[in-house]
Amino acid sequence: MQKKEQVSALQISFMIMLFEIGSTPLFLLGGKAKQDSWLAMFTGSMAGFILLMLLMWIQQSSLGTDLIGMLKLHFGRYAGSVIGGIYSLYFAYQSMRNVRDLGELTSLTMLQKTPMSITMLIFVLIALYAIWKGAEVVFRLPEVLLPLVLSFYVLLVLLLGIMGSLDFNRLGPVFENGFKPIADAALPEIVSFPFGQMIVFLMLWSLWDKPGVPVKNTVVAYLLISIFLIFMNALNIAVLGPNVAGISQLPFLKTVRTLSSLKFIERLDILVSIQLFIGLLIKMMLFFFCSVKAVAELTGKPAKWWVFPVGAVIYGASFLERDYTQHIAIGLGPSLRIDPVFQVAIPLLLALSILLRSRFARSSS
């Protein structure tokens, strides 16, 4: 959280991968495209890659500065501070959504009789402790957790293959209704979640131990995790079929439960839940971290002053939605319509301001 704290390029790449995984495999994103949902995921990842190029260019043009500093520089001290404050609330809101996801997932799969208020409080306190310890601790976690998560996913895919659960013929016919349903499913929903959420790294790239952006590590991590998420979308359809996967609340859990005929392993859905807990915890923690970092820069006070207040706001806000149905409806409805403002519109204005400033600087010189 302080300027002396630095993270390595490898830590950033691991964080990108685990952050992008999050809860994404839990759902069938692009389900409106039915058997072409994996193509919708591919389309969304390519659009997200263009957005990532824009974000990296903005960061390269503003060396050593994070999003809050960029907003103050290009929009003026007061307007930039207001927009920065809204971004802090946006990051806290996204963190709150992940806290609620963690609570609901725990209640659905493991601890049905434990109040969600207790489980969500535990997750918030874990994140709070890591953020209190600083950026170096936060970025050290993916180095340990990412290999574990990917190993579990590989094991589950191998078991599905061995048991003959995979039928990739269910992915056809490809482009049955043309490209329009695929584009409609991908834009803006899949771009906003999860690929557009890379906006948080405008708060984080400045922590790199070298100036600028670790471009190679960032691009490789993004492409690898995009391939993984596309495959996981295809996997759900290959096991469940487009109709069942499309109406399932948690299709990946349903996919893994098809392995219940195994005689030597039971309750594999617990393994899936643990993977999702890790992904959601990291995503929640990173949004929490960025919200605290933004408030600290806006107020000029040490970040540790804001860890507990921001954590309390996130925890309290996680109870605003009545139930899981409303939580999902808001997350896949109004939230996705607001996201492009923060993920696309404001970064485009920042890029335009950078271009205009550089042009005026060249003309005056």
Side-chain angles (χ1 to χ4, degrees):
M1 301 293 287
Q2 299 177 9
K3 290 183 179 179
K4 65 179 182 181
E5 289 188 309
Q6 295 179 330
V7 298
S8 68
L10 183 64
Q11 288 175 321
I12 290 174
S13 61
F14 275 37
M15 180 63 85
I16 288 170
M17 295 177 75
L18 199 49
F19 176 80
E20 285 292 288
I21 289 175
S23 62
T24 308
L26 190 64
F27 309 105
L28 183 71
L29 299 183
K32 291 184 291 185
K34 297 186 178 179
Q35 72 272 13
D36 287 334
S37 65
W38 67 277
L39 288 172
M41 180 67 82
F42 173 78
T43 304
S45 69
M46 291 300 99
F49 185 72
I50 295 171
L51 179 59
L52 176 64
M53 293 295 104
L54 174 67
L55 297 178
M56 288 195 295
W57 181 82
I58 291 172
Q59 185 65 67
Q60 290 281 39
S61 303
S62 308
L63 296 179
T65 307
D66 63 14
L67 178 61
I68 302 302
M70 297 175 200
L71 291 171
K72 288 182 178 179
L73 175 64
H74 295 286
F75 296 154
R77 179 181 175 186
Y78 296 107
S81 296
V82 170
I83 298 172
I86 296 172
Y87 261 107
S88 178
L89 292 174
Y90 174 71
F91 294 144
Y93 169 74
Q94 293 296 337
S95 182
M96 175 276 288
R97 296 202 59 78
N98 285 284
V99 171
R100 184 60 181 261
D101 283 337
L102 284 163
E104 295 285 359
L105 184 61
T106 305
S107 179
L108 281 170
T109 60
M110 296 179 71
L111 303 173
Q112 289 88 353
K113 295 183 180 180
T114 303
M116 281 200 309
S117 58
I118 301 299
T119 57
M120 291 192 299
L121 179 62
I122 291 171
F123 287 123
V124 170
L125 289 175
I126 292 170
L128 188 149
Y129 176 74
I131 294 166
W132 178 270
K133 299 297 288 185
E136 293 176 355
V137 171
V138 171
F139 275 83
R140 210 172 290 142
L141 289 172
E143 291 183 292
V144 178
L145 297 176
L146 180 64
L148 183 65
V149 168
L150 293 180
S151 298
F152 285 161
Y153 276 113
V154 169
L155 174 62
L156 290 171
V157 172
L158 287 175
L159 289 174
L160 288 167
I162 291 169
M163 292 300 296
S165 301
L166 300 176
D167 182 6
F168 287 102
N169 290 322
R170 290 173 174 158
L171 299 178
V174 178
F175 289 109
E176 181 181 20
N177 298 308
F179 183 70
K180 188 177 184 302
I182 295 171
D184 290 342
L187 306 172
E189 284 86 353
I190 295 178
V191 177
S192 297
F193 173 78
F195 301 110
Q197 292 180 333
M198 286 292 294
I199 184 68
V200 297
F201 284 88
L202 281 181
M203 292 292 298
L204 304 169
W205 277 319
S206 59
L207 296 171
W208 187 33
D209 53 19
K210 297 178 183 178
V213 179
V215 175
K216 181 179 178 181
N217 291 73
T218 298
V219 169
V220 169
Y222 181 90
L223 292 178
L224 287 176
I225 213 61
S226 295
I227 292 169
F228 170 77
L229 294 176
I230 293 165
F231 174 77
M232 293 305 296
N233 238 35
L235 180 78
N236 284 325
I237 297 171
V239 175
L240 302 176
N243 294 325
V244 174
I247 63 173
S248 297
Q249 245 188 351
L250 304 171
F252 186 56
L253 277 176
K254 196 174 187 69
T255 293
V256 173
R257 283 171 180 162
T258 62
L259 295 171
S260 59
S261 58
L262 290 176
K263 303 301 181 183
F264 62 96
I265 300 178
E266 294 183 356
R267 295 304 306 273
L268 279 168
D269 53 331
I270 299 298
L271 186 62
V272 177
S273 300
I274 292 171
Q275 298 173 69
L276 294 170
F277 288 149
I278 293 172
L280 281 168
L281 181 63
I282 290 295
K283 181 167 272 192
M284 180 268 283
M285 187 183 300
L286 208 61
F287 278 123
F288 186 175
F289 176 83
C290 289
S291 182
V292 170
K293 192 170 185 291
V295 175
E297 292 187 35
L298 289 167
T299 59
K301 301 295 184 182
K304 288 188 176 182
W305 285 31
W306 297 106
V307 176
F308 283 92
V310 172
V313 169
I314 290 171
Y315 178 69
S318 64
F319 294 97
L320 292 177
E321 293 158 333
R322 287 196 312 271
D323 49 36
Y324 187 62
T325 302
Q326 187 183 50
H327 173 68
I328 294 298
I330 292 174
L332 299 179
S335 287
L336 289 180
R337 288 191 284 273
I338 295 171
D339 285 339
V341 175
F342 296 96
Q343 297 172 359
V344 181
I346 296 176
L348 282 174
L349 290 175
L350 272 175
L352 179 62
S353 177
I354 292 170
L355 287 172
L356 290 175
R357 280 175 175 268
S358 62
R359 177 171 293 183
F360 289 145
R362 284 197 302 268
S363 62
S364 62
S365 62

